[in-house]
């Protein structure tokens, strides 16, 4: 499928990744631009619809590939996807990279990961630096357990500051421990307070319902794609929750032979700023830069778009 929207050319396509069909959108104002692969978060939450809704104009500078990971959206097929693992998603990602390099006749591409996608992309860039011009981590994952401990502390401190006694009592009633990722009560806390307190998807809040509305409004999706995103969100978290909970990105991707750029919102408590900074300080790279976004939570690339575009131009130059 090809469509054009305000000079942005969009293609929707599928390729084979080890016997399973993986889907992606590719957008650009000029397909001769440098290629950037965007690795979405979740696990299992494609962000094409959200980025389109927010109007991020990076397709003016890059040919952007929004790949949907095995087990969600356009890449959901319960009969062929097999067990969903981090290693399998990394392997799929490298197949996508080779496809993009061939398709656009480029030796190397830019790699950008957001949230869970920053873990996947960090591993890809660390292992196969010859494929990439640079790695850009947005809402960079560090150690997920420690990050969630920061989140819990943030929720409690905010409830106390706001004299929200009902919330404080609720938060104190949920004990945070190593099994946090299995706890329905902890997930309820996140759902109820994280966006409300400005530490979630966006500083000014972004509800799960808004995410669903963005997906429904995205005309490039079929109804089957939309349904598969919802299925994939649950299936992916069930498959990858424990891997994510125990992850330390700085151990899994300790060194990079490409420039590294970390873009992080100071109010981010989905992947805490403190943990992103630790990741940045621990990794080795020929050059690295961390950009602190002072008015953002977990989505600085859409919350402070003008500044993010300035960073991208800097990366290009």
């Amino acid at each position: 499928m090809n469509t054009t929207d305000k000079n942005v050319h969009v293609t929707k396509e599928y390729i084979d990744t080890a016997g399973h069909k993986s889907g992606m959108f590719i957008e650009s104002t000029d397909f001769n631009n440098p290629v950037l692969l965007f690795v979405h978060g979740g696990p299992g939450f494609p962000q094409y619809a959200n980025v389109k809704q927010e109007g991020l104009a990076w397709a003016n500078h890059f040919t952007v590939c929004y790949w949907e990971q095995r087990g969600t959206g356009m890449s959901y097929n319960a009969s062929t996807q097999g067990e969903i693992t981090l290693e399998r998603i990394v392997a799929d990602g490298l197949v996508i990279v080779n496809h993009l390099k061939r398709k656009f006749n480029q030796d190397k591409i830019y790699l950008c990961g957001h949230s869970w996608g920053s873990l996947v992309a960090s591993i890809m860039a660390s292992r196969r630096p010859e494929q990439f011009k640079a790695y850009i981590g947005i809402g960079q994952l560090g150690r997920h357990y420690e990050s969630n401990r920061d989140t819990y502390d943030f929720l409690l401190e905010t409830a106390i500051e706001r004299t929200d006694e009902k919330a404080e009592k609720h938060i104190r009633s949920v004990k945070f421990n190593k099994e946090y990722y299995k706890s329905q009560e902890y997930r309820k806390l996140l759902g109820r307070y994280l966006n409300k307190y400005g530490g979630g998807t966006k500083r000014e809040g972004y509800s799960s319902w808004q995410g669903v509305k963005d997906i429904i409004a995205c005309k490039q999706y079929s109804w089957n794609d939309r349904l598969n995103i919802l299925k994939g969100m649950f299936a992916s978290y069930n498959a990858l929750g424990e891997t994510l909970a125990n992850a330390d990105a700085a151990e899994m991707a300790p060194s990079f032979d490409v420039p590294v750029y970390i873009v992080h919102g100071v109010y981010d408590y989905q992947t805490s700023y403190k943990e992103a900074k630790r990741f940045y300080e621990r990794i080795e790279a020929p050059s690295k830069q961390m950009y602190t976004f002072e008015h953002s939570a977990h989505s600085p690339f859409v919350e402070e778009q003008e500044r993010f575009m300035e960073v991208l131009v800097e990366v290009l130059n």
Side-chain angles (χ1 to χ4, degrees):
M1 182 186 80
N2 292 285
T3 61
T4 306
D5 178 25
K6 293 178 183 172
N7 303 319
V8 176
H9 306 281
V10 186
T11 71
K12 180 181 184 180
E13 60 184 76
Y14 298 86
I15 69 161
D16 182 271
T17 49
H20 174 71
K21 198 165 73 169
S22 289
M24 69 198 84
F25 292 108
I26 301 175
E27 288 199 345
S28 193
T29 53
D30 179 355
F31 286 122
N32 293 313
N33 280 343
V35 174
L36 181 145
L37 171 61
F38 177 65
V39 185
H40 68 72
F45 191 71
Q47 287 160 279
Y48 177 75
N50 169 240
V51 174
K52 291 305 290 174
Q53 197 66 29
E54 297 286 351
L56 180 65
W58 55 355
N60 292 336
H61 300 275
F62 294 92
T63 294
V64 183
C65 173
Y66 300 83
W67 157 53
E68 306 208 338
Q69 293 162 31
R70 180 183 293 252
T72 192
M74 294 191 289
S75 304
Y76 182 93
N77 183 334
S79 65
T80 62
Q81 64 201 25
E83 188 186 359
I84 307 293
T85 66
L86 174 58
E87 281 300 323
R88 196 165 240 179
I89 290 171
V90 168
D92 288 347
L94 292 169
V95 173
I96 303 294
V97 169
N98 281 320
H99 168 70
L100 294 172
K101 285 167 57 184
R102 280 195 306 272
K103 182 179 176 78
F104 296 105
N105 194 27
Q106 297 196 11
D107 291 337
K108 298 181 178 188
I109 69 169
Y110 290 90
L111 183 63
C112 177
H114 178 238
S115 193
W116 154 262
S118 72
L119 177 64
V120 176
S122 292
I123 294 168
M124 288 168 63
S126 180
R127 286 187 191 169
R128 300 296 300 276
E130 74 283 358
Q131 308 273 28
F132 305 109
K133 291 183 177 176
Y135 166 64
I136 305 157
I138 308 170
Q140 176 67 47
L141 196 81
R143 294 174 298 180
H144 205 246
Y145 167 72
E146 284 78 0
S147 175
N148 273 271
R149 196 167 56 196
D150 294 341
T151 305
Y152 182 86
D153 292 345
F154 163 75
L155 295 179
L156 184 57
E157 285 161 16
T158 307
I160 292 166
E161 275 169 26
R162 294 187 178 191
T163 59
D164 188 342
E165 289 173 11
K166 189 178 173 188
E168 183 189 344
K169 187 180 176 187
H170 183 194
I171 294 161
R172 287 190 189 278
S173 75
V174 177
K175 298 300 171 211
F176 183 78
N177 58 41
K178 288 274 187 186
E179 302 285 291
Y180 72 97
Y181 64 96
K182 296 178 185 173
S183 166
Q184 288 301 318
E185 290 308 310
Y186 179 64
R187 291 185 70 72
K188 277 182 199 165
L189 282 190
L190 297 182
R192 190 165 296 175
Y193 304 113
L194 190 56
N195 278 312
K196 180 183 176 183
Y197 287 170
T201 305
K202 293 166 74 175
R203 176 73 177 134
E204 77 271 14
Y206 180 88
S207 66
S208 301
W209 174 235
Q210 184 59 51
V212 172
K213 282 202 293 189
D214 287 349
I215 291 163
I216 291 168
C218 183
K219 63 183 184 291
Q220 282 84 4
Y221 281 130
S222 68
W223 280 107
N224 200 44
D225 293 335
R226 294 178 180 112
L227 182 62
N228 285 340
I229 290 172
L230 299 176
K231 284 185 195 169
M233 280 161 56
F234 294 105
S236 297
Y237 189 80
N238 287 339
L240 297 163
E242 187 172 357
T243 300
L244 178 60
N246 296 314
D248 179 351
E251 276 189 8
M252 298 167 97
S255 62
F256 296 76
D257 286 333
V258 295
V260 172
Y261 304 89
I262 304 299
V263 172
H264 214 92
V266 78
Y267 294 104
D268 188 347
Y269 285 96
Q270 274 187 236
T271 52
S272 76
Y273 182 83
K274 192 163 85 179
E275 278 301 307
K277 197 161 193 304
R278 175 187 176 270
F279 171 84
Y280 171 74
E281 286 167 353
R282 285 174 70 100
I283 60 163
E284 292 179 11
S287 64
K288 58 182 183 176
Q289 184 72 38
M290 182 164 181
Y291 299 89
T292 299
F293 279 58
E294 300 285 353
H295 309 290
S296 295
H298 193 50
S299 305
F301 63 134
V302 296
E303 294 179 87
E304 295 180 66
Q305 292 188 31
E306 198 175 316
R307 175 139 193 261
F308 179 68
M309 294 305 295
E310 286 168 7
V311 170
L312 283 188
V313 170
E314 213 173 290
V315 170
L316 273 172
N317 293 337

